[in-house]
Amino acid sequence: MPRIDAAQKIAWSVLLVVAAGCGGNESQFPPNRVYLKKQELAAQIELTERQRHDIEETLQYLFGTADEPQVPRLDGVELSQVLQLDKLQAAAGPVSSDQAGRHYGLYRKHCAHCHGLSGDGAGPSAVFLDPYPRDFRRGIFKYKATPGGLAPPTDDDLIQAIRNGNPGSAMPSFALLTDDEIESLVCYVKYLAIRGEVERALIFEAIDQLEDEYDRLIDLSLRKRDEEKFEAQIRPILALVRGVVQRWHDAPGEVTPVPPPPANWDSPEAIRRGRDLFAGKVANCAKCHGLTGRGDGENVDYDDWAREIVDPQNPAAVKPYLARGALAPRLARPRNLAHGLYRGGSRPEDLYRRIVNGIAGTPMPAIPLRPADAKPEDQRLTPADVWHVVVYVLWLAETPEVAVDQQPTSSAGSTASYSGRRCYGLYWPGMGNG
């Protein structure tokens, strides 16, 4: 097969986007056929057409359609702090504007050609992009201020991602959008993520609970025929939705704190300390990123989106998922830190959180910090250690020709402070301003 260069990829992407109309006239979200097949193969059963339709109808009952989204009615959670209907309506539906100049259909105009109508990350141009666009439906976001894989991002995390783009990927900056437009897109991304998480949960519950082809998870026609029976069926589903929404509601309170850096955090001595930690057994950054941070370590792994459908021992196992719209799995490549392109933010505090939190959904693990009351033999990193790793990572970008045995100094080659700090906008008292 002839090689497709970058210009051809862009041209094909444009043609596909035009042909697909960015999802222009579609009102129904496509079902998650890949996850359904995954669960069916695992359980060695297959849902009937009616059982699959019940799931799709329930999602529409809860969340509306791609043209007319709605917010599920829930008790016990402050839903208005997570999803606002007016913002959803601005982002949803076909692209249009009114006489006052307000724009609608923002998601289809700016996002759907890569991320897909349902947020599945498989829009018409996605196959040409590396890395693939994010699949929102798992509720897992790589670059965020909150820890682990279960804590969702904050609104500010998503605002920064949309406004600044994602350096080193096809995700551009949307800084020209107004604050209201960006906030509407943030709300819609959360909506797609919550809807996608609920869809996966309903598929799992249907596969797990339904005993035969006549059994049903829920019968929405009972709303008119038997309200009491309908309430009994919908109650556990609403509890499921409430749990998903509650995590998003709680996310701002789970932001990982970033302590001030230690004195002389950017000195040559601190950089050397960071290099030793980078290569050491505790942080163990060099395992994947390589001793000089070029991403040439030994790691060969997939992110969670690909790992869900790939079996390294059986390459043919991916075929049923590809037939249902999955993108061909690709290995997760560690970042080449010498490039100085940091997805998810290049401020020192962004890198600090990336080290402490890890990158959700990827092989990049979190680094547990040593508690204040730890015993002397505890080898876990302190916050000061993390800062030393941060400054070493920044130093690598300023010293692209670094050798494995090179002794770190400042960019001026002396004992002066690390000069690269002037670029990153993080200042604490005593740090100076470069």
Side-chain angles (χ1 to χ4, degrees):
M1 178 177 288
R3 183 180 179 86
I4 300 177
D5 61 26
Q8 288 174 310
K9 287 182 179 181
I10 294 172
W12 276 108
S13 297
V14 171
L15 286 173
L16 282 170
V17 169
V18 172
C22 298
N25 295 317
E26 300 177 69
S27 61
Q28 300 299 322
F29 290 113
N32 193 338
R33 297 185 179 90
V34 175
Y35 185 70
L36 173 61
K37 190 62 180 178
K38 173 76 174 180
Q39 295 303 317
E40 287 180 334
L41 289 174
Q44 297 185 335
I45 65 171
E46 188 170 315
L47 294 185
T48 66
E49 182 66 29
R50 183 180 67 180
Q51 289 167 338
R52 293 195 297 269
H53 181 72
D54 283 343
I55 294 173
E56 295 173 27
E57 196 174 44
T58 302
L59 289 167
Q60 184 169 329
Y61 169 78
L62 293 168
F63 297 100
T65 68
D67 281 352
E68 297 182 6
Q70 66 186 38
V71 175
R73 291 181 286 275
L74 300 173
D75 297 324
V77 61
E78 296 180 74
L79 187 57
S80 62
Q81 294 186 17
V82 180
L83 299 176
Q84 298 83 39
L85 188 57
D86 60 330
K87 292 180 180 179
L88 291 180
Q89 291 170 338
V95 179
S96 64
S97 59
D98 61 20
Q99 292 182 343
R102 289 184 291 264
H103 298 287
Y104 299 93
L106 297 169
Y107 180 81
R108 293 191 205 181
K109 180 178 181 179
H110 300 294
C111 313
H113 51 89
C114 293
H115 290 284
L117 187 69
S118 65
D120 60 5
S125 58
V127 69
F128 298 102
L129 306 179
D130 189 11
Y132 291 135
R134 180 63 45 243
D135 178 352
F136 302 135
R137 298 170 303 170
R138 294 193 66 168
I140 298 175
F141 291 76
K142 290 182 178 180
Y143 308 113
K144 56 195 182 74
T146 56
L150 290 178
T154 66
D155 282 11
D156 187 60
D157 290 329
L158 297 177
I159 287 170
Q160 296 307 315
I162 295 172
R163 178 172 288 137
N164 299 333
N166 204 349
S169 77
M171 173 71 178
S173 164
F174 290 96
L176 294 180
L177 296 182
T178 67
D179 289 347
D180 285 345
E181 289 172 334
I182 290 177
E183 289 172 8
S184 293
L185 287 173
V186 165
C187 188
Y188 199 75
V189 167
K190 292 192 294 181
Y191 163 82
L192 291 177
I194 292 168
R195 183 188 179 279
E197 289 182 80
V198 171
E199 180 179 19
R200 289 170 62 93
L202 290 177
I203 290 171
F204 182 86
E205 292 297 324
I207 296 289
D208 185 58
Q209 293 184 19
L210 302 186
E211 297 179 355
D212 56 48
E213 60 183 306
Y214 303 105
D215 201 3
R216 303 178 70 174
L217 191 65
I218 186 170
D219 179 1
L220 289 176
S221 69
L222 291 173
R223 285 178 293 171
K224 299 179 179 179
R225 297 188 290 107
D226 190 335
E227 185 174 346
E228 184 177 346
K229 189 172 182 180
F230 172 73
E231 287 297 324
Q233 290 181 343
I234 197 67
R235 192 177 300 115
I237 293 176
L238 291 177
L240 183 156
V241 179
R242 191 179 301 112
V244 174
V245 172
Q246 189 68 51
R247 290 205 311 274
W248 285 85
H249 176 273
D250 295 343
E254 299 185 24
V255 169
T256 298
V258 178
N264 300 318
W265 80 294
D266 52 359
S267 67
E269 292 75 16
I271 298 172
R272 283 192 286 272
R273 170 65 175 158
R275 179 199 61 180
D276 294 342
L277 292 166
F278 187 92
K281 293 182 179 179
V282 179
N284 205 18
C285 310
K287 177 184 177 182
C288 299
H289 291 284
L291 287 172
T292 58
R294 290 183 170 85
D296 55 357
E298 65 184 48
N299 180 63
V300 177
D301 203 351
Y302 296 92
D303 63 25
D304 286 3
W305 293 269
R307 194 180 293 119
E308 186 166 69
I309 63 172
V310 72
D311 180 356
Q313 307 303 319
N314 180 16
V318 76
K319 290 183 178 179
Y321 308 119
L322 299 180
R324 285 158 179 81
L327 298 173
R330 293 174 180 159
L331 289 171
R333 296 196 298 270
R335 176 72 51 247
N336 183 340
L337 302 173
H339 289 163
L341 294 174
Y342 311 112
R343 295 174 187 165
S346 60
R347 301 171 303 172
E349 61 260 46
D350 296 327
L351 301 183
Y352 181 98
R353 286 196 176 106
R354 200 89 71 255
I355 294 167
V356 173
N357 291 342
I359 301 179
T362 78
M364 170 77 177
I367 300 294
L369 294 179
R370 185 192 310 171
D373 59 352
K375 296 180 179 180
E377 59 269 22
D378 193 322
Q379 297 298 305
R380 285 175 289 180
L381 302 190
T382 67
D385 291 333
V386 177
W387 276 118
H388 293 144
V389 176
V390 168
V391 75
Y392 178 67
V393 168
L394 294 174
W395 179 82
L396 286 172
E398 286 210 343
T399 318
E401 302 304 321
V402 63
V404 173
D405 58 353
Q406 181 173 342
Q407 288 297 311
T409 64
S410 72
S411 59
S414 69
T415 58
S417 295
Y418 165 69
S419 65
R421 68 185 175 191
R422 67 182 180 274
C423 303
Y424 300 97
L426 175 68
Y427 306 112
W428 266 281
M431 178 187 280
N433 59 12

